[in-house]
Amino acid sequence: MINKAPDFHTPVLGPDVSRWLITDPSGVYVDATVGGGGHAEIMLEELGDAGRWIGIDRDPEAVEAASRRLKRFGGRARVVQGCFWDLKAILATQGVSGVSGVLFDLGVSSHQIDASERGFSFSQDGPLDMRMGPDAARSAQDVVNSESLEHLIRIFRTYGEERASVRIARAICRAREEKPLRRTLELANLVARQVRGRMVQKTLARIFQAIRIEVNGELEPLQDALQGAVEVLKPGGRIGVLSYHSLEDRVVKQVFRDASQECIGPTDFPICACERVAMARVLTRVRAGASEVNENPRARSATLRVAERLEGGVQRWVCEALLNS
Ligand SMILES: C[S@@+](CC[C@H](N)C(=O)[O-])C[C@H]1O[C@@H](n2cnc3c(N)ncnc32)[C@H](O)[C@@H]1O
C-alpha cells in the first residue's frame, strides 16, 4: 500500500526502502532529502521508541511540510534546512557522528513540480526560477539569458543528453536578443518549435531537467556527498539511494563500486600491495513494480540501490587514489 501525500509528494518504493534500510530499530537514521517526509514517516513507524530520524532538505517549503508531518513523533524526528553535501557538519550540529542508515531520494518533489510559481514545470506557466532552495545562486532565468551559446549547448548535452542541443541553444540566444526569456511557457514554446511533433514532450523534459541540474548544481557534488554518507555509516549500517535518471544512477553505481573494491593496484601484479580493504558491500538494486507505477507514474524511472558498510576504517576512495598516483 503506497503512503499517499497528494498535496506534497508520494514516496517511491516506500516499503522497499524501509525493509532494506532499517537494520537497528534503535538507531539514528538520516534522510538527506526529506521532502514532504513521506519516507521518513514510513520508517519512523517501523523504528522503536529509541530510533531517531534526522531529515535534511535545502527547500524551506519541504522543511516546513516535513516538520508538520513528523510532529507526532516528537523528539524522535528532527528536520533541518541544509544541503546534503554538508551532511557531516549537519550531523555534528545534532551531536551525531555515526549513523545506522542514510537515505537519498534524489531530484525534485512533486510539490516543487506542481507549484507553478517555482518554475520547474514546462506545462504550467510561471517565472523561470527552478531554484530548490535559497542556497542556489542563479535562477533558470539567469542561466538562459546570461550563459554563452557554448555553455548552453554543454548544459543541454551533458545534463539533458539532448540531440537537438545546438539548435535549441541557438534559438534561445536569438530570442533573448529581442527580449529576455522570463516565463516557463515562453521557453517551452520556443523549445517545442525546434523539434518534431512526437519528440516534443521528451525534449521539453530533457531541456528543463538540464537547466534544473545546472541551476541547483545537482551532479558535481553528488559523488562527494555519497562518499561522505558511506563514511558516516556505522559497520552494518546501510545507504539507500533512489535515482531517477541515468546521470544520477551512474554516479551512485560508481561510488558503490568504489566503496566495495578491495585491491586497486595494477592488475598484472602477482599479489596485492595496496592493502586496501572494502568499505562496503553492494546489497541490491530495486525497481518499482507495475502496480506502483500505475498508481504513481513517477516511480517508473526510479532505481533504488543499497549498500552496507563493512567493518574497518575509511579508505582512500579509488578515484581519489587514481588522481593522486
Ligand atoms: C524526491 S524529493 C524527496 C521526497 C521524500 N523522500 C518524501 O518522501 O517526501 C527530493 C527532495 O530533495 C531535496 N534536495 C535536492 N537536492 C538536495 C540537496 N543537495 N540537499 C538537500 N536537499 C536536496 C529537494 O528539495 C526535494 O525536496
Side-chain angles (χ1 to χ4, degrees):
M1 170 75 174
I2 295 169
N3 185 11
K4 289 225 178 219
D7 50 343
F8 207 94
H9 186 88
T10 305
V12 171
L13 287 168
D16 297 270
V17 168
S18 180
R19 185 160 53 89
W20 282 101
L21 218 64
I22 297 180
T23 49
D24 173 7
S26 306
V28 177
Y29 292 80
V30 185
D31 188 336
T33 54
V34 72
H39 283 109
E41 186 177 46
I42 294 172
M43 294 179 68
L44 273 157
E45 300 266 17
E46 296 292 321
L47 295 177
D49 288 346
R52 283 175 60 200
W53 191 265
I54 299 168
I56 301 169
D57 206 292
R58 66 196 292 191
D59 183 347
E61 289 179 14
V63 169
E64 201 194 312
S67 304
R68 223 179 308 121
R69 187 171 188 168
L70 304 178
K71 198 165 169 213
R72 68 188 172 93
F73 297 100
R76 292 175 54 212
R78 282 266 169 82
V79 185
V80 182
Q81 188 182 328
C83 286
F84 56 56
W85 45 79
D86 296 325
L87 187 70
K88 284 184 185 169
I90 293 172
L91 290 184
T93 65
Q94 303 298 312
V96 172
S97 53
V99 299
S100 299
V102 185
L103 171 65
F104 288 80
D105 181 10
L106 300 172
V108 273
S109 66
S110 307
H111 169 76
Q112 287 166 329
I113 298 274
D114 295 343
S116 57
E117 73 281 4
R118 303 290 302 266
F120 287 98
S121 167
F122 56 79
S123 52
Q124 301 178 73
D125 195 32
L128 262 178
D129 192 323
M130 299 197 199
R131 283 173 293 193
M132 285 186 188
D135 58 278
R138 296 172 310 158
S139 67
Q141 190 175 318
D142 298 327
V143 170
V144 296
N145 291 305
S146 320
E147 290 300 347
S148 65
L149 171 68
E150 293 70 29
H151 193 70
L152 286 178
I153 295 171
R154 204 160 47 243
I155 293 171
F156 299 156
R157 274 199 184 136
T158 314
Y159 299 149
E161 299 178 308
E162 171 54 49
R163 289 170 69 178
S165 295
V166 174
R167 201 176 329 136
I168 292 167
R170 283 199 179 125
I172 289 175
C173 291
R174 273 196 306 275
R176 73 190 190 189
E177 276 174 22
E178 305 275 315
K179 70 175 175 63
L181 293 155
R182 296 193 197 282
R183 311 285 301 175
T184 49
L185 287 192
E186 258 182 281
L187 176 65
N189 291 334
L190 179 74
V191 171
R193 287 198 295 276
Q194 312 311 313
V195 282
R196 296 222 180 91
R198 275 185 26 244
M199 304 299 293
V200 169
Q201 291 302 307
K202 285 195 171 153
T203 298
L204 282 170
R206 287 194 285 258
I207 294 296
F208 271 63
Q209 169 186 293
I211 298 172
R212 188 199 88 207
I213 291 176
E214 170 75 8
V215 165
N216 294 291
E218 288 176 48
L219 274 182
E220 277 70 22
L222 184 58
Q223 178 178 308
D224 277 357
L226 295 177
Q227 291 176 342
V230 172
E231 291 173 4
V232 298
L233 285 174
K234 292 179 176 171
R238 293 181 178 179
I239 173 170
V241 188
L242 272 161
S243 62
Y244 295 87
H245 55 79
S246 56
L247 298 167
E248 288 168 345
D249 192 46
R250 228 173 277 157
V251 180
V252 182
K253 254 191 311 195
Q254 168 64 39
V255 172
F256 280 16
R257 195 181 310 129
D258 192 341
S260 56
Q261 204 166 325
E262 295 200 315
C263 175
I264 55 168
T267 47
D268 53 352
F269 269 32
I271 52 161
C272 169
C274 70
E275 293 179 357
R276 186 181 199 271
V277 293
M279 270 182 277
R281 67 185 176 113
V282 177
L283 293 184
T284 192
R285 169 182 176 272
V286 186
R287 303 290 311 266
S291 69
E292 178 169 0
V293 172
N294 247 348
E295 280 193 56
N296 180 13
R298 186 182 152 77
R300 185 188 308 279
S301 55
T303 301
L304 169 67
R305 291 185 190 272
V306 183
E308 184 176 84
R309 182 69 200 270
L310 299 173
E311 295 281 348
V314 168
Q315 308 281 308
R316 247 192 340 156
W317 289 91
V318 176
C319 47
E320 214 175 276
L322 293 178
L323 274 178
N324 298 330
S325 62

